[in-house]
Amino acid sequence: MSEHHSRSRSRVPARFEAIVSWQGLTVPVVSENLSLRGMLCAAPHGLGMRTGEACVVRLTLGAGTVLSMGARVARAGRGTLALAFEEMDPATFAHLRNVVRYAACDPDTIDAELGAGG
């Protein structure tokens, strides 16, 4: 198990197509990993976004399911973009939780994180 004490949520490997929109731009990206609090995606040159910049993420899960979340740039550059989710409706959170649980090695860990103040 990796030592990432600064992260409060488990990240799971997850490849999904997503669209990041900000300042009138819409750019397709591909997620590399996902958690209940954010995602890391492959993004050429960080898409020119700056840390702290607000955006909207539309994550396509397939079968016509698209999750839309307000997010903020946690880190950008070197071909990746880390986004922290800031707002989503309860149905979106439920979908996201199911995706993260499904991809987790230990789904009970995800539920424990939710019980611990998630």
Side-chain angles (χ1 to χ4, degrees):
M1 188 158 146
S2 59
E3 300 275 330
H4 290 290
H5 296 293
S6 63
R7 292 182 180 153
S8 60
R9 295 287 186 258
S10 295
R11 291 180 178 264
V12 297
R15 286 186 64 84
F16 293 104
E17 292 182 2
I19 302 245
V20 177
S21 303
W22 85 105
Q23 295 183 358
L25 299 172
T26 301
V27 181
V29 297
V30 176
S31 67
E32 292 185 357
N33 66 44
L34 192 61
S35 77
L36 295 174
R37 306 261 329 249
M39 74 179 205
L40 179 70
C41 44
H45 313 296
L47 305 179
M49 297 180 79
R50 293 190 189 93
T51 300
E53 214 163 3
C55 61
V56 173
V57 179
R58 292 181 44 135
L59 188 66
T60 302
L61 300 181
T65 303
V66 178
L67 305 184
S68 184
M69 298 154 289
R72 205 162 279 282
V73 177
R75 192 175 65 254
R78 295 210 170 137
T80 60
L81 183 65
L83 299 171
F85 300 144
E86 292 201 320
E87 57 184 80
M88 66 185 86
D89 63 38
T92 297
F93 182 80
H95 274 298
L96 181 62
R97 177 182 167 271
N98 288 339
V99 168
V100 172
R101 279 192 93 240
Y102 182 78
C105 294
D106 182 5
D108 293 335
T109 300
I110 305 303
D111 289 337
E113 290 171 0
L114 288 174

